[in-house]
Amino acid sequence: LFQDQMKGVIATVLDKTSQSVDRKLYSNLESTSPYFFGTVITAQGTLTITSYDTSGGLAIIIPSEINGIPVTAIATDAFKNKGLTSVEIPNSVTSIGYAAFLNNQLTSVVIPNSVTSIGNSAFYNNKLTSVEIPNSVTSIGNSAFYNNPLTSARVPTSTVIQANTFPAATVITRY
């Protein structure tokens, strides 16, 4: 575990070879092992996922906490160009950053009701054919789901959609 304090933010890198954390603690979790995620501890004491080591697999379940600290955000480019096929985001996450899952092979994504914002190009250039946006999402960025073979999207009427959020052929159902 490496920690660097700069301007009130502690950067944490979880090293797969680290002996300072008991690996047995995570052996029965359904989520992907926390050893494959790079993180930053925010000033609020929560974690933002900043990177991912694909040796943890291409179908991932992001843990809701790592070392007892809640995961609340997915940073810009965190999972960009990783070849991921599916991702499940925990109920602890409130924001998905710019290009967070750009250029993958995602065929499915579960966005929990805790997410309030989805950044520009967040899921750009994947293989998603449908998506359901939960009521909690207040805004979806420009091109967030663009360049996917989407045929349908369910989006709350209260959610603000930016330009080119979805491909032109997508049937958008507002609820």
Side-chain angles (χ1 to χ4, degrees), residues 82-162:
K82 298 294 184 182
L84 301 180
T85 56
S86 70
V87 62
E88 188 172 325
I89 300 165
N91 282 327
S92 59
V93 169
T94 59
S95 66
I96 299 171
Y98 171 84
F101 295 96
L102 182 125
N103 291 334
N104 280 285
Q105 302 295 312
L106 293 175
T107 57
S108 69
V109 61
V110 176
I111 300 171
N113 205 31
S114 59
V115 172
T116 58
S117 65
I118 299 173
N120 294 347
S121 303
F123 294 94
Y124 185 93
N125 199 31
N126 278 278
K127 299 192 180 293
L128 299 170
T129 56
S130 66
V131 66
E132 178 146 358
I133 306 300
N135 285 325
S136 59
V137 175
T138 58
S139 66
I140 304 174
N142 185 26
S143 301
F145 292 93
Y146 206 76
N147 209 28
N148 277 278
L150 281 172
T151 56
S152 66
R154 285 182 34 88
V155 183
T157 55
S158 59
T159 302
V160 176
I161 299 174
Q162 301 300 319

Side-chain angles (χ1 to χ4, degrees), residues 1 6 31 35 49 64 69 77 96 110-111 136 138 143-144 170:
L1 193 60
M6 293 179 60
S31 60
Y35 295 102
I49 301 277
S64 61
I69 304 169
D77 298 336
I96 299 171
V110 176
I111 300 171
S136 59
T138 58
S143 301
T170 306

